[in-house]
Amino acid sequence: MTDAGTKLWSLSASEASRRLEAGTLTSRALTEAVLARMAEVDGKIHSYIHVATERAIKAATKADAELKSGRRRSALHGVPFGVKDNYDVAGLAATEGSRLRLGHIPERDAPVVHDLEEAGAVLLGKLATWEYGTGNGGEYFDLPFPTARNPWDTTRFTGGSSTGAGASVAAGTASFAMGSDTTGSVRLPAAGCGLVGVILPQGGISGDGILPNCYSLDVPGPLTWTVEDAARVLDVLARPDDSYVRALSRQVSGMRIGILRGPLGRFPAPDASMSSAFEEACAVIGRLGAHLEDVRLPMPVSECFDVTRLIGPAESAAIHEAELRERPGDMGFALRDKLLAGSLVRAVDYIHAQRQRRLIADAIDTMLRPYDAIVTYGPLHVAPRLGVEPEMSAFTVETCLTPFNLSAHPAMVQCTGYSTEGLPLAWQIVANRGDVVSALALAAAYEQATPWRQRRPRLES
Amino acid sequence: MSQKKPSLVEIEAFAHRYGLTKLAPEHIARMAELAVYVGDLGCMLPRPALKEHAPAATFMPGKQC
């Protein structure tokens, strides 16, 4: 890894925006720098499925002209971004990472894409994804596009299913990216690639125009380099009454924070590096003045995972039933495996899983309510070697992410340092519904107090 | 508790019953393996204590960020 220096591709979205506003940087220069970074390194990490170069240059030129005439649409004006290939963009191929969708070109933009472009952000292209934004935890190298690789170590997995979103922001082939999360698909690649990844409860950001994976759990979310970057994206997409960016300066001193280490159930203890980084991160926010109290999840984390293992495949099988009936041989192993499993879930068990979800959600809500936020593990392991079992499945399955998909609370992951091999470590911050700003403020204060944003992966030849 | 793995004939009949007529033999074989896993998951899932515990399909938090 290397010191990020001052290369334009390495600017956070927020720093780029400040320079654009001050007139010391143009969107065209920034966009061209990021495109040049892509040309230099994307052959190693495969973060993109489709790059829309001409469209991006045109949008950047327009953004510059507007800035020159005094029009700044938002705090993302002129900042380049990518979207996971399950987002619809009018006129651009949306393959969803699948040979089932080769040649599919949507006629309309997903509202997220529309809103970001209306805010002046510059779309660079479509990012790699596990097929249909889902999978079974493994990697089988059987899709029509190269597998995205982790910029911190290209022999390793990014985290899925928003694989290209994680790779691109870490590598500087996008200033920020949009992914989607059903049981961790924003937060897992964010953790694996050393980023910030945030999800809000359903309805916080529109999921329209994104290929569904699980109606009752899917949420879109940003992957960014810094917490402020995430707040800027959420300001555009969630349209809070009070700007999340302005609220980042909220004092951590006096915040009541729950520390949640389990019970993990049948999942193993976290890697030693992950665990020690978590404890040190807790100490950091303690030194910032947060009141720390131990809390316990009302049920084992692995039980929450099991609930998602009935809900997710069953809904996916319903959503993609036609493809499983007509073209099962054209699917990759992971998607087909999930749809076959979902076809076997009894309706009775699905309903019990949704009943159990409600009990879990209510119990977690009760646990959380006395606190401004809780901090807990994200994944329990560092990014695994790509395609190597059982490392892959352990990384994707053994996480503390799914309880908060089930409970529909705002949740985010953040880098808490690096392992001795230089792989990103992460924790998760969860807030009460309607109060994501507490999580963002806590994460921003932690980020300011630690040096983790000063490193970038080394990918240059 | 682990369920008995269904025979390939049984699982193929199940698949055909629900319109999955284009599965290759290896898909059928994999489905038979998955049937045990999925069946176990369903059986192990805790059951809510009261009939009044309604499913989360009615649990839609809406725009609460």
Side-chain angles (χ1 to χ4, degrees), chain A residues 61 92 98 101 105 121 149 174 192 266 386 407 415 441:
Chain A
T61 303
L92 290 189
S98 176
R101 288 255 178 162
I105 299 179
R149 291 174 177 270
R266 69 172 188 281
L386 192 55
S407 71
C415 181

Side-chain angles (χ1 to χ4, degrees), chain A residues 310-336:
Chain A
L310 288 164
I311 294 173
E315 292 198 31
S316 285
I319 293 164
H320 308 307
E321 182 184 41
E323 289 96 318
L324 187 63
R325 283 181 171 177
E326 296 303 321
R327 300 178 64 187
D330 289 338
M331 295 176 183
F333 179 87
L335 176 63
R336 186 174 56 245

Side-chain angles (χ1 to χ4, degrees), chain A residues 340 344, chain B residues 5-33 35:
Chain A
L340 289 175
L344 291 158
Chain B
K5 185 176 168 182
S7 71
L8 297 183
V9 172
E10 284 174 319
I11 209 72
E12 186 164 32
F14 173 90
H16 281 209
R17 195 177 305 136
Y18 297 108
L20 301 176
T21 56
K22 296 186 179 176
L23 296 178
E26 63 267 28
H27 304 158
I28 295 289
R30 178 62 179 154
M31 202 171 186
E33 293 170 2

Side-chain angles (χ1 to χ4, degrees), chain A residues 32-52:
Chain A
E32 286 179 343
V34 173
L35 289 167
R37 175 70 171 167
M38 261 186 236
E40 182 183 18
V41 304
D42 212 47
K44 298 174 184 170
I45 59 168
H46 306 296
S47 60
Y48 282 84
I49 286 178
H50 178 76
V51 181

Side-chain angles (χ1 to χ4, degrees), chain A residues 7-310:
Chain A
K7 292 174 180 170
L8 293 181
W9 59 259
S10 72
L11 296 177
S12 69
S14 301
E15 178 56 26
S17 176
R18 280 188 280 274
R19 293 188 189 189
L20 287 162
E21 186 178 19
T24 60
L25 174 65
T26 65
S27 178
R28 174 106 186 214
L30 176 62
T31 301
E32 286 179 343
V34 173
L35 289 167
R37 175 70 171 167
M38 261 186 236
E40 182 183 18
V41 304
D42 212 47
K44 298 174 184 170
I45 59 168
H46 306 296
S47 60
Y48 282 84
I49 286 178
H50 178 76
V51 181
T53 303
E54 281 183 28
R55 178 190 176 114
I57 294 293
K58 191 174 169 187
T61 303
K62 181 183 172 189
D64 286 333
E66 288 182 341
L67 283 171
K68 205 168 180 181
S69 67
R71 184 179 186 202
R72 183 171 181 261
R73 291 171 180 247
S74 79
L76 293 174
H77 190 116
V79 178
F81 72 104
V83 295
K84 186 176 178 178
D85 199 30
N86 58 352
Y87 282 64
D88 283 352
V89 179
L92 290 189
T95 67
E96 344 288 347
S98 176
R99 60 178 57 80
L100 295 164
R101 288 255 178 162
L102 294 175
H104 170 65
I105 299 179
E107 294 179 356
R108 294 182 187 165
D109 291 335
V112 163
V113 173
H114 173 268
D115 290 355
L116 287 170
E117 290 195 310
E118 277 296 300
V122 174
L123 179 67
L124 294 164
K126 309 294 290 295
L127 295 162
T129 173
W130 270 356
E131 188 172 24
Y132 276 30
T134 190
N136 69 348
E139 175 62 53
Y140 305 94
F141 305 102
D142 59 356
L143 299 179
F145 305 100
T147 303
R149 291 174 177 270
N150 194 318
W152 296 94
D153 176 347
T154 57
T155 67
R156 295 194 178 250
F157 181 44
T158 53
S161 62
S162 307
T163 55
S168 65
V169 179
T173 59
S175 296
F176 70 92
M178 292 303 301
S180 57
D181 192 311
T182 303
T183 55
S185 290
V186 163
R187 290 161 295 156
L188 198 60
C193 295
L195 307 176
V196 172
V198 186
I199 59 167
L200 302 178
Q202 278 191 341
I205 297 174
S206 171
D208 292 345
I210 303 170
L211 185 74
N213 174 38
C214 176
Y215 296 126
S216 68
L217 289 170
D218 289 343
V219 286
L223 293 90
T224 62
W225 186 245
T226 70
V227 178
E228 184 185 349
D229 293 355
R232 285 173 183 249
V233 177
L234 295 176
D235 269 353
V236 168
L237 296 178
R239 299 177 184 170
D241 294 335
D242 298 313
S243 162
Y244 293 140
V245 173
R246 280 198 293 274
L248 291 181
S249 57
R250 184 176 157 191
Q251 289 296 306
V252 169
S253 181
M255 275 192 182
R256 195 175 170 197
I257 305 298
I259 311 290
L260 193 157
R261 299 180 182 84
L264 300 175
R266 69 172 188 281
F267 290 170
D271 291 352
S273 56
M274 198 68 84
S275 178
S276 61
F278 178 80
E279 298 303 330
E280 177 54 29
C282 292
V284 168
I285 61 171
R287 288 196 289 273
L288 291 172
H291 297 301
L292 309 182
E293 297 174 32
D294 288 333
V295 297
R296 278 176 69 81
L297 202 66
M299 68 294 297
V301 175
S302 59
E303 279 189 17
C304 296
F305 174 78
D306 291 343
V307 171
T308 67
R309 273 304 206 233
L310 288 164

Side-chain angles (χ1 to χ4, degrees), chain A residues 358-383:
Chain A
R358 188 186 185 108
L359 295 179
I360 290 169
D362 289 348
I364 290 177
D365 198 53
T366 301
M367 177 198 72
L368 245 167
R369 214 168 288 145
Y371 300 97
D372 291 292
I374 62 165
V375 293
T376 184
Y377 306 118
L380 301 178
H381 312 295
V382 297

